[in-house]
Amino acid sequence: MPIALQPVEPADAAAGRGRDATGRANLRARHFARSLRWLHALALGWRERSRPKSGLGAASGYLLAQWAPLSRHVGHGQTRLDNNLVENAIRPTALGKKNWLFIGHPDAGRRAAILYSIIVSCLRHGKDPAAYLRDVLSRLPSMTNQDDLEAITPRRWQPASAFSS
């Protein structure tokens, strides 16, 4: 079965997740270039045979308008064919903020969404959320506007005990 007709997962795996950039570029040029030429010819035919405002006409027009970025991955092994890693990484945060937005009082939902974002950010950076919140909330009262707040973001945070040792 041609790679273009296989399900996405095997085709993406065959596109070289375990290969270096040059190997992926060679594999893509060998397998995807022909499929893309076929798709481009199909889209041109659809655009000629359908009205521009019809569903098929609008879809083919959009596809042809986005053709350069769509087909650019064939020559570049550094680019990914999908953004699944990013989507999977932000999904818990996005769902959590949406789910916690409307609880009780409108201000409570906003605050819960902020706390949820901080907790997920801590987890993403390998920090213990409880220790982070305990430490940062104890530091905040003594901080001034001139203090560097970047040091207490989850990405850069180090426990206060790390400074005293």
Side-chain angles (χ1 to χ4, degrees):
M1 178 185 325
I3 285 184
L5 301 178
Q6 290 179 3
V8 173
E9 291 81 12
D12 198 34
R17 284 221 167 134
R19 300 173 192 254
D20 65 341
T22 307
R24 274 192 304 272
N26 291 336
L27 193 65
R28 289 175 184 176
R30 202 172 42 228
H31 292 288
F32 293 120
R34 183 176 177 193
S35 299
L36 283 174
R37 283 193 304 272
W38 175 78
L39 181 62
H40 191 260
L42 220 69
L44 286 172
W46 289 334
R47 188 177 65 179
E48 289 174 9
R49 285 189 293 273
S50 57
R51 294 182 178 179
K53 300 237 180 200
S54 70
L56 188 58
S60 60
Y62 179 80
L63 175 65
L64 291 169
Q66 301 299 320
W67 192 256
L70 175 69
S71 59
R72 190 159 297 139
H73 77 277
V74 171
H76 298 285
Q78 304 92 327
T79 58
R80 294 190 51 95
L81 297 177
D82 59 45
N83 65 348
N84 288 343
L85 295 176
V86 173
E87 291 289 335
N88 289 338
I90 66 171
R91 184 173 290 114
T93 307
L95 288 176
K97 284 192 282 188
K98 182 180 176 191
N99 292 338
W100 287 82
L101 195 56
F102 302 104
I103 54 172
H105 192 272
D107 291 338
R110 183 174 176 272
R111 291 180 191 128
I114 291 169
L115 278 174
Y116 189 83
S117 296
I118 291 170
I119 290 168
V120 170
S121 184
C122 286
L123 293 173
R124 236 185 245 145
H125 293 292
K127 312 290 172 125
D128 176 27
Y132 171 80
L133 287 170
R134 215 176 5 260
D135 185 49
V136 169
L137 291 175
S138 67
R139 287 189 207 183
L140 280 176
S142 63
M143 293 183 82
T144 65
N145 289 342
Q146 289 77 33
D147 289 329
D148 180 25
L149 296 179
E150 179 72 18
I152 62 170
T153 61
R155 181 173 57 94
R156 305 245 339 254
W157 174 76
Q158 293 297 321
S161 59
F163 295 117
S164 60
S165 323

